[in-house]
Amino acid sequence: MKGLIYKDITIFFKSIDQKLVLIAVGAIILLMVNTGVYAGLLASVMLAITIGMQNIMSFASDEKADWKKYQLAMPVNAVSAVASKYISVICTLAVSIVGSILLNLLPSVAFRKFNVTVWGVSAAASFIVPLLWTGICLPLTYWFGFRSAQTMGLIVVIPMFYFIKYFEDGAGFSAMTSSILPYAVVAGIAAIALFILSMIISMVGYNRKK
């Protein structure tokens, strides 16, 4: 199973488009100009969404290469085959969390203001969003194919951006971070539970298509 995890993580990093990185840098600078110290929070959410999407996109390469035919010939059972995907997602959480720290550090230094609440919400988002994203999309991949997961991923991103926009135009970022932080632990536990349930459903879907 270690080989499968290594394969998935390698594909994840190799499939990152350098052009997207440059676009992301430009977006972060724009956020800092418009939102100040809260730029790290929005950038962290954007990064977390990207991590989730990148995981699904990298797994799509397996489907395009018809990898399952080779995998079935290997001495790997359904548990190991599916669990390797989910473990690789957990490994990429490090990228999301470290990225969140760096993204919050930039505006904190630039504006000389350290907001613990913003850092806490950013860290929670960098952990929860990729788990939710893959927890929803991976079972769809195993049951109905990559296209259904891709479509669902695009649908999921819409309410997230509207949610941020609502607080930006209404109650404000300060009220948003203060109201969300107390529920971060509960949301994290729920995301983990969904992730575990998702893995079980994916295993059933994997066996169904053998």
Side-chain angles (χ1 to χ4, degrees):
M1 188 168 69
K2 291 181 180 179
L4 294 176
I5 297 172
Y6 176 78
K7 174 188 73 69
D8 291 330
I9 294 176
T10 300
I11 293 174
F12 173 85
F13 284 106
K14 284 188 175 182
S15 58
I16 296 175
D17 193 336
Q18 294 180 353
K19 294 178 181 178
L20 291 178
V21 175
L22 293 175
I23 293 173
V25 172
I28 292 169
I29 294 174
L30 183 62
L31 284 172
M32 288 180 65
V33 172
N34 293 328
T35 60
V37 72
Y38 296 100
L41 170 59
L42 292 180
S44 295
V45 174
M46 290 172 61
L47 175 62
I49 291 173
T50 303
I51 294 293
M53 293 178 66
Q54 187 65 33
N55 274 310
I56 300 302
M57 292 295 292
S58 62
F59 295 156
S61 62
D62 283 358
E63 188 169 308
K64 291 177 182 178
D66 209 6
W67 167 256
K68 191 171 181 180
K69 289 183 178 179
Y70 299 98
Q71 191 165 277
L72 290 173
M74 299 168 64
V76 178
N77 56 27
V79 174
S80 298
V82 175
S84 65
K85 297 285 188 186
Y86 282 80
I87 293 173
S88 69
V89 170
I90 294 173
C91 291
T92 60
L93 287 179
V95 179
S96 185
I97 294 171
V98 172
S100 175
I101 294 172
L102 295 175
L103 291 171
N104 278 281
L105 184 62
L106 289 174
S108 295
V109 172
F111 297 98
R112 297 180 182 179
K113 184 177 181 181
F114 182 85
N115 191 317
V116 178
T117 305
V118 172
W119 280 64
V121 174
S122 298
S126 65
F127 175 81
I128 294 171
V129 172
L131 288 185
L132 288 177
W133 203 284
T134 51
I136 293 172
C137 292
L138 273 178
L140 291 174
T141 301
Y142 281 107
W143 278 81
F144 307 108
F146 164 68
R147 294 300 175 188
S148 61
Q150 187 180 42
T151 302
M152 179 57 70
L154 293 174
I155 294 174
V156 170
V157 75
I158 295 173
M160 286 188 178
F161 280 113
Y162 270 103
F163 178 73
I164 294 172
K165 189 65 178 176
Y166 167 78
F167 283 103
E168 181 182 357
D169 294 338
F173 286 116
S174 179
M176 178 186 72
T177 52
S178 299
S179 61
I180 289 178
L181 188 59
Y183 301 101
V185 175
V186 176
I189 294 173
I192 293 172
L194 174 65
F195 195 71
I196 294 172
L197 177 62
S198 168
M199 184 169 65
I200 295 172
I201 296 173
S202 292
M203 288 177 182
V204 176
Y206 180 91
N207 281 324
R208 174 174 169 265
K209 288 191 173 184
K210 273 191 177 182

